[in-house]
Amino acid sequence: MRGAALLGAALFFACAAAPCGTAIIPDAIGIGDPASPAGLNPLLATDPYTIQVATLLYRPLVWIGRDMGFDHARSLAASVQALDGNTRFRVVLKPWRWSDGAAVTADDVLFGWERIEKLGDLFGAAGQGGIPDRVASVRAVDARTLDFVLKAPVNPDWFILNGLSLVYAFPRHAWGDIGRDEMWRRQNDPALFAVTDGPFRLAELRPERYFAFVPNPLYGGHPASLARLVVVFREGGGALHAVQAGEIDMARVPYALWQLLQGTPGFRFYVLPEPFGYGDLLFNQRSANALFLRDVRVRQALAVAVDQAKIIKLAYHGFGTENHLPTPTEPATWQSPSAAATRYDPTAARAMLEAAGWRPGADGVRRKAGVRLAFSVLTGADPDSSEMEMLQVLQSDFGAVGADMRVRVESFSQLMQTLNAGGSDWDAANSPWTTPPVPDGTGVWNAGGGINYGGYSDARMDRLIEDSVSQPGKAAMFQYQDYFAGQLPGLILPQGKQLVMAAARLHGVEEFSNAAGYWNPESLSVDDPACRGATPDGPRR
Amino acid sequence: MGRAAETFATLFFLVTLTFALAHAVPDGPAYAILGLKAGPDRVRALNAQLGLDATVWGQYATWWWHVLHGNLGISYLQNRPVVSVIGAYAGRTAVLYSVATGLAVVAAMGLGWLHGVFYRSWPGRVCSAIEIFLYAMPGFFIATVLGMVFSSWLHLLPAAGMVDLHQAAPGFGDRAAHMVLPAASIALFVAPWLARIFAQGVHEELSRDYVRTAQARGVGFGSILLRHVTPNAIRPMVTMLGLSLPAIFSGNVVVESVFDYPGIGWLLWRSAVAHDYPVLVGIVLVVGVATMLGNLAADLVNAWLDPRVTYAA
């Protein structure tokens, strides 16, 4: 009895202890290359960096956990229930409070939903998870309950994980009737983001430089251990240099430097999951120069010509996973176990090209009816990046079976403009893609999809993709992938894991980031003499 | 009238050219902002939001209309008025370059005196060799070496930023420490050519009749050097400093980037990379005006140093 009382008292004081210490992290941790967050409004975010900082302030109805599933502990929603044949989703909110003490209500979620509708095409994640187009209406049932009524039945996993993870509560009492233009204009205005329901509040905002956050004492979830979290933007290798100089506490490490830096005193090293997505070599079905890329036999031959193990070894120094499907491998929750295996076999690739009528020319490049099996790959990768090393491996592998691949480098924004133009002046493009938690192919591989840059169009693929988002379970998702594995509108390539170097004083790095790049900064704490015994987890090592 | 009209015509041409070149680049800011999610619908919506759906010349006319009303537009990246963005970054650059210029002038005068006085003998030759050696060093090389030695190896000085972000309220000492390496890099880059100009002036002045006369009257060499030679020899250096004001305002992109110092050079580079046209064109306008004022300031200081110098309006 006495022991229980002591334990209770200890827990009380531990939980009541003040947050302590400062951690400085670059914004590239978790996903992608360094870039500066555009602002703090999660609805306007089109990049993971903005989402990362915005979700420190606002938590969506559904938080994606490290297993890429519904993380109930960190979500605003206490529960989500699919009703009426998956056409109605009842969301019950947790009894959270805004940082100014007001209750977070269903009306605040409704207000957030209305902001999504007001933004229209400026809503950064428009289309993902059926938001907002597949939703017929959103109704507040009571102060903490809402109903999302859909126009047609959907795959509940897809709607909950892809859709409801995009819906936030915003403080109607603090924001007023803010419209599209004002939201855009004030996406960096600290005054607009003063009232939050997430684990942090904004302390200081220096656009393009750094954002500083302090804990929100009224946050309804697990409280932050840190007294201050600073997210800095460091271009290129600046973050690595800064972490070594002790100016920041965490940085990504290039694959080539990983072994060299091991054992550096005062640091710990972490291998974090690959970004939730996949790399691909997207074939342009409209290419005037490489009409042969429309021939599925050529695409299949090119797929088996690629030695993914060599890519992982040379470009990612062993830190990667082979992948042949348009779904992530880590975690492989949505990877179809029944898809036809694509194995590296250059002999088979040559035979497949022979069978398709492509004969070796005098220069080693195959020809058919006077056409050379030659194409270029458009990329926005930096010359010294792992992606460029991967393209060199591809060049070598394709060359070995008689295909001549050239690399065409453009700046990233030029690349995006070229892809958007929908022209016939490019043959293939290389780009890494991040996918939503349920990695459906909507928008990417369906005809007329917003980012179906290659113009791939196949009625059966369209139907399978639609099935994957409208039918419950994984079966339809697997069928889509199985068909994709035969069609190969793009050649799926491996991605590299993320290598991170962090100051030894920083703890909780493994739990900090998930594969989607979402941050759990509540997990971070620092080993500061002033903090010993002051954090909820007790003394730090 | 002639000089003023010329200056304004140059400014107008410079801004127009920058505006045209910035918009001539085939890709626009929408692609940089939206990234991989830059589908056609979203690009169209963003361009409409940013006012980029109008013709280039329509945007150009709107831009001048806003400039005439004291408005340089809104930064696409920071969503703040360009005037306040440039003001914040220019302020930091002005502080950095004031410190760096002070250091450079002191170093240049010390080296220049020694070089000028011993122009033909070995101390002068050693000074000349030092000047040429430093002058030949690219700015990024000097900055990188200083950062490597004093920050990474010796851990004496911070290598990047303006303050230690671990501190919630950084003090003056912390800010000063962060400025040492960028200021020293700029000073080491600027001082050699200032020293050569000053040394040449000292050497020429020392051979003039008034110096011999003063020596004949028994005036000490130190007094001659400080009171008579230096004011005359310093004028070309002042002119050069005035002409370098644009560099002060546009910043040294390399040094500010190496040390991650958020000055106007850093901003210029970021704006160019991210197609933040309003900021880019705003910086060109500000630098143009600074050039104009720099030339004017150099003329005024020269006229003050030598009353024989007069300039047409």
Side-chain angles (χ1 to χ4, degrees):
Chain A
M1 184 65 191
R2 191 174 162 216
L6 282 173
L7 181 63
L11 280 172
F12 172 79
F13 283 113
C15 291
C20 191
T22 296
I24 304 177
I25 58 173
D27 54 10
I29 295 296
I31 200 158
D33 293 322
S36 178
L40 288 165
N41 189 333
L43 302 184
L44 290 168
T46 54
D47 59 87
Y49 322 108
T50 302
I51 289 284
Q52 286 173 340
V53 295
T55 51
L56 297 177
L57 305 181
Y58 305 99
R59 280 285 154 100
L61 292 179
V62 171
W63 182 257
I64 304 301
R66 297 186 68 219
D67 62 352
M68 300 306 292
F70 186 168
D71 182 342
H72 289 80
R74 293 186 168 93
S75 300
L76 173 57
S79 66
V80 180
Q81 193 180 6
L83 303 166
D84 301 343
N86 299 324
T87 58
R88 185 162 62 93
F89 287 80
R90 172 150 293 186
V91 178
V92 179
L93 304 180
K94 290 176 183 166
W96 282 10
R97 297 203 164 270
W98 292 106
S99 55
D100 63 357
V104 178
T105 64
D107 184 58
D108 291 323
V109 178
L110 205 55
F111 177 72
W113 177 259
E114 289 161 4
R115 299 318 101 187
I116 289 175
E117 291 184 319
K118 277 181 188 277
L119 282 174
D121 283 335
L122 284 181
F123 172 47
Q128 181 184 316
I131 305 290
D133 293 345
R134 293 191 190 225
V135 178
S137 66
V138 182
R139 294 190 300 252
V141 178
D142 61 36
R144 284 178 41 213
T145 310
L146 295 116
D147 275 351
F148 285 77
V149 180
L150 279 79
K151 294 172 182 169
V154 293
N155 176 346
D157 289 330
W158 176 77
F159 182 70
I160 293 170
L161 296 176
N162 288 12
L164 295 182
S165 62
L166 304 174
V167 181
Y168 297 79
F170 293 114
R172 190 190 287 273
H173 65 283
W175 280 29
D177 188 25
I178 187 170
R180 171 189 164 113
D181 288 348
E182 191 180 351
M183 267 192 285
W184 181 267
R185 202 172 59 245
R186 297 182 66 190
Q187 56 184 305
N188 274 331
D189 181 357
L192 184 64
F193 305 104
V195 179
T196 71
D197 65 351
F200 286 87
R201 287 183 297 128
L202 182 67
E204 192 182 358
L205 184 151
R206 303 275 181 197
E208 294 277 294
R209 302 285 307 151
Y210 63 89
F211 294 46
F213 301 90
V214 292
N216 171 8
L218 296 184
Y219 173 53
H222 188 282
S225 300
L226 295 170
R228 196 160 166 264
L229 176 70
V230 183
V231 182
V232 297
F233 166 52
R234 285 286 159 83
E235 190 77 31
L240 187 62
H241 186 57
V243 79
Q244 289 177 290
E247 288 160 15
I248 64 173
D249 297 313
M250 200 192 289
R252 281 179 65 181
V253 178
Y255 298 105
L257 296 179
W258 181 249
Q259 285 302 330
L260 190 71
L261 291 171
Q262 293 296 310
T264 308
F267 293 96
R268 290 197 180 98
F269 294 83
Y270 304 89
V271 179
L272 299 183
E274 301 157 12
F276 199 67
Y278 53 87
D280 83 349
L281 196 67
L282 172 67
F283 298 124
N284 184 10
Q285 307 292 320
R286 308 182 192 96
S287 169
N289 175 58
L291 289 170
F292 51 81
L293 291 174
R294 294 181 197 171
D295 185 343
V296 69
R297 295 171 301 172
V298 172
R299 301 200 296 263
Q300 287 168 341
L302 292 177
V304 295
V306 176
D307 185 353
Q308 292 205 3
K310 189 162 65 177
I311 290 174
I312 292 166
K313 183 181 173 191
L314 296 179
Y316 300 121
H317 294 241
F319 295 101
T321 313
E322 288 194 30
N323 189 14
H324 302 278
L325 297 173
T327 49
T329 52
E330 196 174 12
T333 317
W334 296 96
Q335 282 245 314
S336 170
S338 51
T342 305
R343 289 196 184 85
Y344 169 57
D345 188 346
T347 308
R350 287 186 203 100
M352 290 161 82
L353 289 171
E354 286 282 342
W358 292 91
R359 306 275 181 263
D363 58 356
V365 178
R366 291 177 183 272
R367 284 177 167 75
K368 181 179 176 182
V371 176
R372 291 176 84 237
L373 189 62
F375 62 99
S376 65
V377 173
L378 197 56
T379 181
D382 289 334
D384 57 351
S385 63
S386 301
E387 286 76 17
M388 199 57 86
E389 288 171 354
M390 180 177 72
L391 288 174
Q392 288 166 355
V393 174
L394 287 182
Q395 204 167 28
S396 158
D397 286 351
F398 290 155
V401 299
D404 180 18
M405 184 196 110
R406 303 288 167 98
V407 178
R408 182 177 145 195
V409 182
E410 292 189 347
S411 73
F412 178 76
S413 50
Q414 278 176 324
L415 167 73
M416 293 313 298
Q417 203 218 13
T418 305
L419 297 183
N420 263 286
S424 59
D425 56 344
W426 60 279
D427 308 327
N430 166 242
S431 182
W433 298 99
T434 52
T435 63
V438 177
D440 63 295
T442 313
V444 185
W445 304 115
N446 57 322
I451 50 176
N452 180 359
Y453 297 123
Y456 177 75
S457 178
D458 181 283
R460 188 170 170 205
M461 183 73 86
D462 292 352
R463 186 175 54 77
L464 290 171
I465 288 174
E466 180 54 32
D467 288 350
S468 73
V469 303
S470 58
Q471 293 178 9
K474 293 182 176 175
M477 179 69 89
F478 291 165
Q479 283 171 11
Y480 143 65
Q481 292 176 67
D482 296 350
Y483 186 62
F484 183 100
Q487 284 294 303
L488 295 169
L491 203 157
I492 304 301
L493 298 166
Q495 289 200 110
K497 294 178 189 294
Q498 300 190 77
L499 310 181
V500 169
M501 173 181 189
R505 65 190 279 277
L506 192 68
H507 299 269
V509 174
E510 296 98 328
E511 298 81 24
F512 169 67
S513 173
N514 71 15
Y518 281 44
W519 285 346
N520 303 316
E522 306 98 302
S523 74
L524 291 180
S525 61
V526 291
D527 188 9
D528 186 321
C531 300
R532 291 216 172 93
T535 58
D537 296 331
R540 300 294 172 205
R541 278 176 290 128
Chain B
M1 172 58 205
R3 282 189 64 183
E6 263 177 38
T7 305
F8 282 111
T10 305
L11 201 58
F12 182 82
F13 177 72
L14 187 66
V15 169
T16 305
L17 188 67
T18 307
F19 195 95
L21 286 176
H23 286 76
V25 179
D27 49 333
Y31 299 102
I33 293 170
L34 293 173
L36 286 169
K37 289 187 174 176
D41 293 343
R42 207 164 284 168
V43 169
R44 212 172 297 121
L46 186 57
N47 280 338
Q49 187 67 30
L50 299 176
L52 294 169
D53 51 347
T55 63
V56 172
W57 296 111
Q59 294 173 48
Y60 178 69
T62 306
W63 185 82
W64 272 113
W65 177 253
H66 286 157
V67 168
L68 294 175
H69 290 78
N71 174 8
L72 290 178
I74 303 289
S75 162
Y76 298 156
L77 285 183
Q78 303 197 23
N79 293 297
R80 289 194 296 155
V82 170
V83 171
S84 70
V85 171
I86 291 179
Y89 284 76
R92 296 185 201 117
T93 293
V95 173
L96 172 63
Y97 279 79
S98 299
V99 174
T101 306
L103 288 174
V105 167
V106 170
M109 288 183 71
L111 201 60
W113 271 322
L114 197 62
H115 185 184
V117 171
F118 299 101
Y119 205 73
R120 303 270 181 226
S121 51
W122 70 265
R125 292 185 200 284
V126 170
C127 290
S128 179
I130 292 171
E131 288 158 12
I132 290 171
F133 177 77
L134 289 174
Y135 191 59
M137 294 289 120
F140 76 87
F141 183 76
I142 293 174
T144 307
V145 168
L146 287 181
M148 207 163 64
V149 173
F150 291 99
S151 179
S152 298
W153 292 353
L154 300 176
H155 298 286
L156 290 176
L157 291 163
M162 277 184 68
V163 290
D164 178 3
L165 293 170
H166 285 99
Q167 302 174 31
F172 174 79
D174 182 50
R175 289 175 191 277
H178 277 81
M179 196 170 282
V180 171
L181 289 180
S185 300
I186 296 163
L188 281 175
F189 184 65
V190 173
W193 59 267
L194 288 182
R196 289 189 78 78
I197 292 166
F198 184 61
Q200 181 68 31
V202 169
H203 173 66
E204 284 174 10
E205 293 299 322
L206 283 174
S207 62
R208 295 199 188 278
D209 291 344
Y210 73 86
V211 172
R212 273 195 294 277
T213 306
Q215 281 175 328
R217 285 172 54 207
V219 180
F221 183 74
S223 180
I224 293 171
L225 191 64
L226 285 175
R227 294 181 57 195
H228 301 288
V229 169
T230 299
N232 291 326
I234 207 170
R235 280 194 293 110
M237 195 166 84
V238 170
T239 305
M240 293 310 293
L241 271 176
L243 291 174
S244 72
L245 259 182
I248 290 173
F249 278 90
S250 64
N252 187 323
V253 174
V254 172
V255 170
E256 290 188 354
S257 300
V258 169
F259 293 109
D260 200 37
Y261 187 90
I264 204 88
W266 188 92
L267 181 68
L268 180 72
W269 164 67
R270 282 290 302 154
S271 308
V273 169
H275 304 275
D276 196 350
Y277 301 148
V279 173
L280 196 60
V281 180
I283 291 174
V284 171
L285 183 69
V286 169
V287 170
V289 171
T291 307
M292 206 168 70
L293 296 177
N295 282 328
L296 186 65
D299 292 350
L300 292 174
V301 173
N302 269 329
W304 175 70
L305 287 171
D306 184 353
R308 292 169 299 174
V309 177
T310 55
Y311 296 97

